[in-house]
Amino acid sequence: MASVLVVEDDQFVRSALIRHLTDASHTVRSVGTALEALREVAHLRFDVVILDLGLPDLDGSEALKMLRGITDVPVIVATARDDEAEVVRLLNAGADDYLTKPFSVEHLSARMAAVLRRARGGPAEAAPSSVVRVGGLTVDPLRRQAELDGAALDLTRREFDLLAFLAGRPGVVVARKELLAEVWQQSYGDDQTIDVHLSWLRRKLGETAARPRYLHTLRGVGVKLEPPAAAPPGAEPPR
């Protein structure tokens, strides 16, 4: 059972979602505007938020960014916009998952279950509690802290889970399907989700896809994390 906030201005859709979630034994509160949603999460604790993008007072993606400013609650975005640029924009804004309208209640239930499993104890938290060190990178799964060359990394929950999973297998190429299953706990999904989070991680690790240091993508195979190669004598450090 979970505490769910439904943010949806269409009364018919809203009622259907409330009925389905209540029948599934979840505790549900609902609002029809972004500002009401912000007030709700500021005063109450929820396990997951289902956020419609077509709200009357504020664009849903802007509402998502504002939500991320005050809470780390998992957010599933419901949108009728299914183009690639929109998906990337939602993930960049902090969405944990998304559903394209129209969607079935079974699809919503499956996505909610996956998001709740991750939030309540993902694979990184179930890993051994010993600190992992790969080159200048240090990952502490128990405390959910990561450092690079002694400086703390500011990571989201999903970024940390992805980094911890790869750091626990240094030098091993991990297939995208395995990342979806183990980090996202989904048997299927869009590679775009992985690419976006890898891009965020690279930026925070001070590297790019063109000039990788720790994260290496093998096209058509998967991703591996390994310590940077030692620079040859006299070589200039990367800028």
Side-chain angles (χ1 to χ4, degrees):
M1 185 178 75
S3 175
V4 185
L5 175 63
V6 174
V7 188
E8 169 64 66
D9 68 315
D10 185 307
Q11 190 58 49
F12 177 78
V13 175
R14 190 167 153 188
S15 297
L17 288 174
I18 292 171
R19 183 171 60 253
H20 164 69
L21 293 169
T22 302
D23 289 346
S25 300
H26 297 301
T27 302
V28 185
R29 290 179 67 89
S30 66
V31 294
T33 68
L35 293 180
E36 288 177 308
L38 291 169
R39 283 195 290 268
E40 287 286 310
V41 299
H43 294 96
L44 298 171
R45 179 177 178 180
F46 295 96
D47 295 311
V48 63
V49 173
I50 300 171
L51 175 66
D52 175 45
L53 289 192
L55 299 174
D57 60 335
L58 191 65
D59 181 77
S61 60
E62 291 301 315
L64 179 59
K65 292 178 183 177
M66 295 175 72
L67 282 171
R68 277 290 163 259
I70 60 176
T71 180
D72 198 31
V73 63
V75 176
I76 299 175
V77 168
T79 175
R81 316 165 198 170
D82 60 352
D83 61 286
E84 180 177 329
E86 178 64 15
V87 171
V88 172
R89 189 164 72 99
L90 292 172
L91 293 171
N92 277 325
D96 289 79
D97 206 342
Y98 68 95
L99 286 167
T100 302
K101 293 182 176 180
F103 53 83
S104 67
V105 293
E106 291 78 15
H107 196 175
L108 172 61
S109 293
R111 292 299 182 96
M112 273 188 58
V115 165
L116 289 170
R117 282 197 301 271
R118 294 195 297 268
R120 291 170 173 173
E125 293 176 312
S129 60
S130 57
V131 175
V132 178
R133 292 181 176 85
V134 182
L137 183 65
T138 303
V139 181
D140 187 337
L142 184 62
R143 293 181 175 82
R144 296 188 66 80
Q145 296 174 350
E147 295 181 352
L148 178 62
D149 299 327
L153 293 172
D154 182 15
L155 304 177
T156 66
R157 180 179 63 251
R158 192 69 53 74
E159 290 167 357
F160 182 88
D161 287 345
L162 178 58
L163 180 64
F165 186 80
L166 292 171
R169 299 153 183 77
V172 176
V173 178
V174 181
R176 289 170 177 269
K177 184 176 181 180
E178 184 178 356
L179 288 176
L180 280 172
E182 298 297 333
V183 178
W184 275 263
Q185 296 188 357
Q186 295 178 7
S187 58
Y188 65 94
D190 194 336
D191 282 0
Q192 205 169 61
T193 299
I194 299 174
D195 291 337
V196 169
H197 285 83
L198 284 173
S199 177
W200 291 342
L201 269 180
R202 284 194 175 99
R203 187 158 55 240
K204 294 180 179 181
L205 293 175
E207 62 182 68
T208 65
R211 300 187 66 183
R213 295 183 65 235
Y214 285 90
L215 293 170
H216 300 264
T217 300
L218 283 73
R219 188 177 298 275
V221 182
V223 183
K224 68 176 177 179
L225 184 148
E226 61 184 9
E236 292 186 3
R239 296 178 182 177

